[in-house]
Amino acid sequence: MEFDRRQFAALVLGTAASLTLAAPATAQSDPLPSWNDGPAKEAIVKFVQATTDAASLNFVPLAERIATFDQDGTLWVEHPIYTQVVYCFDRVPAVVKEKPELANEEPFKTVLSGDREAIGKLSMDDLLKIVGATLTGMDVDTFRDEVTAWIAAARDPRWKRPFTDLTYLPQIELLKYLRANGFKTYIVTGGGQDFVRVYSERVYGIPPEQVIGSIGGVSYQYDKDGRPVLIKEPKLLLNDDNAGKPEGIHIEIGRRPYLAFGNSTGDRQMLEYTKAGVGPRLAMLVLHDDAAREYAYGPARGLPDTKIGRFPQELDDEATKDGWFVVSMKNDWRRIFAFE
Amino acid sequence: MEFDRRQFAALVLGTAASLTLAAPATAQSDPLPSWNDGPAKEAIVKFVQATTDAASLNFVPLAERIATFDQDGTLWVEHPIYTQVVYCFDRVPAVVKEKPELANEEPFKTVLSGDREAIGKLSMDDLLKIVGATLTGMDVDTFRDEVTAWIAAARDPRWKRPFTDLTYLPQIELLKYLRANGFKTYIVTGGGQDFVRVYSERVYGIPPEQVIGSIGGVSYQYDKDGRPVLIKEPKLLLNDDNAGKPEGIHIEIGRRPYLAFGNSTGDRQMLEYTKAGVGPRLAMLVLHDDAAREYAYGPARGLPDTKIGRFPQELDDEATKDGWFVVSMKNDWRRIFAFE
């Protein structure tokens, strides 16, 4: 009797599994419908097939399947300015309300003036002062609540939509495709990891513990009621950009990725480090060459130069030399946003 | 037709799920056979049942099920001295071979002398010098290979077995039981995370990315062949002990645990932070009160005082006040080691 029930269960599980798993496995169903056919899409599909086929020389054990993605410019729009910087500017009035003496101090005075031209000319030191004042000093739960409220209310100036709508649909499909094939997907961002962790699970399906970013110190304290709190300190433990990306990957994962996806010079070392591993490694860069549907910036390939998300000729040359794929937004992505 | 197939699949999946999941749920099969019946075991089973029962007021969504475990004294033996410190001492001859000038410098001279009494009197500053010299300066892959070789060859002085045999069987069962119920299990250790990550998957079933420990800085460099490497630097980013434990949990997970397990004052803040969360939270401490089968140390409850793994009266008092369970090794653990 027990044996029969088990046999039945095995039969039934087999049948059910083939029904439910049929969709991603069949050739007919395309896991990346927002990608145009071309070398980039082909490379992704071949990479996934090779690393997950136990009979392949390039098979990668399940536990080692790590894929890392930059966020700004790789998973969502980074122009005209990083979303987290918009958050910092928006928080300035609340900070000044708590510390009124800042109203007459630079750079807070300029931000409060609303003078876009003057704000655009603020130095990196000024920006760091604003970041320090707006992202630290509160406990981590309060910070999470503030970001949650802001991200629900704030709107991008061009599309008049929540910033979280401005994620790239081809990349959301790629994240899902990788996870369906046993890859653990990570964000590795120059932004603050506490900020991105607030919405990463909802927007990208990536849980907080798989978000690596710039790390601010926290200190364990007791509040006035004796309850333990973690206070965000103005102390940078890791600047998770450029060389900081492979460093952050080692600190928080401890394994080398098999796939890394970026879009600018800040991602160079992460891609180098990924490709330097033994076995099959895939490195990709988004090229923003579509001013009509998103933005166009380089300065490689004659595209305009901008401060944010630079893709210079040296990066293009290193991609060619080291075998990284450059993904043209214009040619490789059939559709960019889910709301289109 | 499509509708019928889906109905069939749902029916079949439901049946299959109840059949395959029956084993861990039945009262007959004990998921914790090395635990004696008592308040601690009862608390664990009730905690797991409540947090995983969707109908329970204490249900915890799958993604939020985080459990954190100290390592030394909680998952494996920490006496007479932490395993990682033994590694550092054993590495001194190799370090001196590369830098012969150290042979006549303290504390290296004392370590090389083999004089146990003198070694036992080394100051914390001396120990930090040894740690700095033996755990830094090489690339992370070389370090991993060295620890892998050492951990296979080294033997504990009392049981004459590999240190990795000295894990507590009741805790290995608990880790598996939690994972079978959807919990992500983490190690949160004062030891270096690069060290523990070498063997954590094999020994505890915990992958490197779920090991949080003291964090040493790494720097991204190119070796003489132009290949990127990560060099371990003598720079401590986080001392993952005491208040550093909740800080490290926030940095590398970004969520508060539902279960935390420690054994000494170094785990106090992790347990406080865990219990301060809303909803069902379980905090536990191992009390080493079994000199015959392992070791006995306090100084609480009249046990001998030692430098390593202190369990003083204040900790016992806080456990009582804050509702932490104190697990008596002597009474709560039927069997301590798998090799017994």
Side-chain angles (χ1 to χ4, degrees):
Chain A
M1 173 68 179
E2 188 57 28
F3 183 69
D4 285 349
R5 280 178 67 196
R6 277 167 188 252
Q7 273 195 319
F8 173 70
L11 179 75
V12 139
L13 271 173
T15 312
S18 67
L19 281 175
T20 51
L21 293 178
T26 56
Q28 289 89 334
S29 79
D30 181 352
L32 303 171
S34 300
W35 288 73
N36 286 318
D37 290 335
K41 181 173 181 172
E42 192 185 343
I44 291 169
V45 173
K46 280 193 174 169
F47 169 82
V48 169
Q49 286 173 345
T51 53
T52 57
D53 173 4
S56 158
L57 285 174
N58 286 320
F59 177 72
V60 175
L62 191 62
E64 291 173 29
R65 293 182 203 157
I66 303 284
T68 56
F69 288 77
D70 167 57
Q71 181 188 233
D72 295 303
T74 299
L75 293 180
W76 74 355
V77 175
E78 64 184 343
H79 271 228
I81 192 162
Y82 302 123
T83 302
Q84 192 176 358
V85 175
V86 181
Y87 172 78
C88 291
F89 283 141
D90 282 1
R91 284 288 302 162
V92 167
V95 168
V96 171
K97 200 175 171 188
E98 278 185 30
K99 295 183 185 173
E101 67 275 17
L102 293 178
N104 293 310
E105 277 181 33
E106 289 298 353
F108 304 99
K109 196 176 166 182
T110 295
V111 174
L112 289 172
S113 75
D115 179 344
R116 281 175 173 265
E117 197 176 335
I119 293 171
K121 285 180 185 163
L122 291 174
S123 69
M124 188 50 72
D125 270 0
D126 287 333
L127 291 178
L128 287 177
K129 269 184 204 162
I130 292 164
V131 166
T134 54
L135 299 183
T136 67
M138 72 292 287
D139 73 83
V140 299
D141 294 335
T142 302
F143 177 76
R144 188 197 55 222
D145 293 344
E146 286 174 358
V147 175
T148 303
W150 181 85
I151 208 100
R155 294 295 180 270
D156 168 85
R158 176 166 164 189
W159 287 277
K160 322 287 183 203
R161 290 182 163 272
F163 291 100
T164 49
D165 281 6
L166 303 184
T167 50
Y168 305 135
L169 186 58
Q171 300 290 61
I172 301 292
E173 291 170 359
L174 175 55
L175 290 170
K176 284 184 187 163
Y177 177 47
L178 289 168
R179 289 195 292 263
N181 284 282
F183 281 83
K184 258 190 182 171
T185 54
Y186 283 80
I187 290 172
V188 179
T189 174
Q193 59 184 23
D194 283 353
F195 185 85
V196 180
R197 284 172 175 177
V198 171
Y199 56 83
S200 62
E201 189 146 33
R202 175 174 64 85
V203 173
Y204 303 116
I206 294 177
E209 59 269 27
Q210 285 163 226
V211 174
I212 300 167
S214 291
I215 307 176
V218 287
S219 69
Y220 184 81
Q221 300 178 16
Y222 302 93
D223 70 10
K224 57 179 170 43
D225 302 319
R227 286 173 55 91
V229 288
L230 288 167
I231 302 295
K232 288 173 68 64
E233 298 292 340
K235 184 185 165 192
L236 189 64
L237 295 182
L238 178 79
N239 181 1
D240 194 48
D241 206 12
N242 303 302
K245 291 206 173 193
E247 293 165 6
I249 287 169
H250 180 74
I251 287 171
E252 298 200 36
I253 306 178
R255 309 192 200 243
R256 195 191 298 255
Y258 276 85
L259 181 154
F261 216 130
N263 80 301
S264 76
T265 51
D267 304 308
R268 185 168 70 85
Q269 290 88 343
M270 175 169 77
L271 271 60
E272 288 174 352
Y273 179 64
T274 298
K275 284 289 284 184
V278 295
R281 311 275 171 168
L282 186 63
M284 295 199 148
L285 287 169
V286 177
L287 179 72
H288 295 261
D289 57 357
D290 194 334
R293 294 191 299 168
E294 202 244 12
Y295 291 99
Y297 47 100
R301 308 193 187 190
L303 296 167
D305 198 358
T306 63
K307 275 187 197 170
I308 288 175
R310 289 191 85 244
F311 192 117
Q313 191 56 47
E314 310 89 81
L315 190 66
D316 212 1
D317 293 344
E318 186 167 351
T320 305
K321 189 168 162 250
D322 202 21
W324 309 346
F325 285 81
V326 175
V327 174
S328 158
M329 196 171 251
K330 192 171 182 176
N331 301 319
D332 286 312
W333 287 358
R334 187 194 308 265
R335 197 172 155 194
I336 295 183
F337 301 114
F339 61 77
E340 281 172 351
Chain B
M1 172 66 178
E2 189 58 24
F3 184 68
D4 285 348
R5 280 178 67 197
R6 276 165 190 253
Q7 273 195 318
F8 175 71
L11 179 74
V12 138
L13 273 172
T15 312
S18 68
L19 283 174
T20 50
L21 293 177
T26 55
Q28 288 91 335
S29 79
D30 181 352
L32 302 171
S34 299
W35 288 73
N36 286 317
D37 289 335
K41 181 173 182 172
E42 191 185 342
I44 292 169
V45 172
K46 280 193 174 169
F47 169 81
V48 169
Q49 286 173 345
T51 53
T52 57
D53 173 4
S56 157
L57 284 174
N58 286 321
F59 177 72
V60 175
L62 192 61
E64 291 173 30
R65 293 182 202 157
I66 304 284
T68 56
F69 288 76
D70 167 57
Q71 180 188 231
D72 295 303
T74 300
L75 293 180
W76 75 354
V77 175
E78 64 184 343
H79 272 229
I81 193 162
Y82 302 123
T83 301
Q84 192 175 358
V85 175
V86 182
Y87 172 78
C88 292
F89 283 140
D90 281 2
R91 285 287 304 162
V92 167
V95 169
V96 171
K97 201 174 172 186
E98 277 184 31
K99 295 184 186 173
E101 69 274 17
L102 294 179
N104 293 310
E105 277 180 33
E106 289 298 354
F108 305 98
K109 194 175 168 184
T110 295
V111 174
L112 290 172
S113 75
D115 179 344
R116 280 174 174 265
E117 196 176 338
I119 292 172
K121 285 181 185 162
L122 290 174
S123 69
M124 188 50 71
D125 270 2
D126 288 332
L127 291 178
L128 287 176
K129 269 184 203 163
I130 292 164
V131 166
T134 53
L135 299 183
T136 69
M138 72 292 287
D139 74 83
V140 299
D141 294 336
T142 302
F143 177 77
R144 188 197 54 223
D145 293 345
E146 286 173 357
V147 175
T148 303
W150 182 85
I151 207 99
R155 294 293 180 271
D156 168 84
R158 176 167 163 188
W159 287 275
K160 322 286 182 204
R161 290 180 163 273
F163 291 100
T164 49
D165 280 7
L166 303 184
T167 50
Y168 305 135
L169 186 59
Q171 299 291 60
I172 301 293
E173 291 170 0
L174 175 55
L175 290 170
K176 284 185 186 162
Y177 177 46
L178 289 168
R179 288 195 293 262
N181 283 282
F183 281 82
K184 259 190 180 170
T185 54
Y186 282 80
I187 289 172
V188 179
T189 175
Q193 58 185 23
D194 284 353
F195 184 85
V196 180
R197 284 172 174 175
V198 170
Y199 57 82
S200 62
E201 191 146 33
R202 174 173 64 85
V203 173
Y204 303 115
I206 294 178
E209 59 269 26
Q210 286 164 223
V211 174
I212 301 167
S214 290
I215 307 176
V218 286
S219 70
Y220 184 82
Q221 301 178 16
Y222 302 94
D223 69 11
K224 57 179 170 39
D225 302 318
R227 286 172 56 90
V229 287
L230 288 168
I231 303 295
K232 287 172 69 65
E233 298 291 342
K235 185 185 163 192
L236 188 63
L237 295 182
L238 178 79
N239 181 1
D240 194 48
D241 206 11
N242 303 303
K245 292 206 172 191
E247 293 166 6
I249 287 168
H250 180 73
I251 286 171
E252 298 199 37
I253 307 178
R255 309 191 201 244
R256 194 191 298 255
Y258 276 85
L259 181 153
F261 215 130
N263 80 302
S264 76
T265 52
D267 304 308
R268 185 169 70 85
Q269 290 87 343
M270 175 169 77
L271 270 59
E272 287 175 351
Y273 179 64
T274 298
K275 284 288 284 184
V278 295
R281 312 273 170 168
L282 187 62
M284 293 198 150
L285 287 169
V286 177
L287 177 72
H288 295 261
D289 56 357
D290 194 335
R293 295 191 299 169
E294 202 242 11
Y295 291 99
Y297 47 102
R301 306 191 188 193
L303 297 166
D305 197 359
T306 63
K307 275 188 198 172
I308 288 175
R310 289 190 85 245
F311 192 116
Q313 191 58 46
E314 310 88 82
L315 190 66
D316 210 1
D317 293 343
E318 186 167 351
T320 305
K321 191 170 160 248
D322 203 21
W324 310 346
F325 285 82
V326 174
V327 174
S328 158
M329 195 171 251
K330 191 171 183 177
N331 301 318
D332 287 311
W333 287 357
R334 186 192 310 265
R335 198 172 154 193
I336 295 183
F337 301 115
F339 60 77
E340 280 171 352

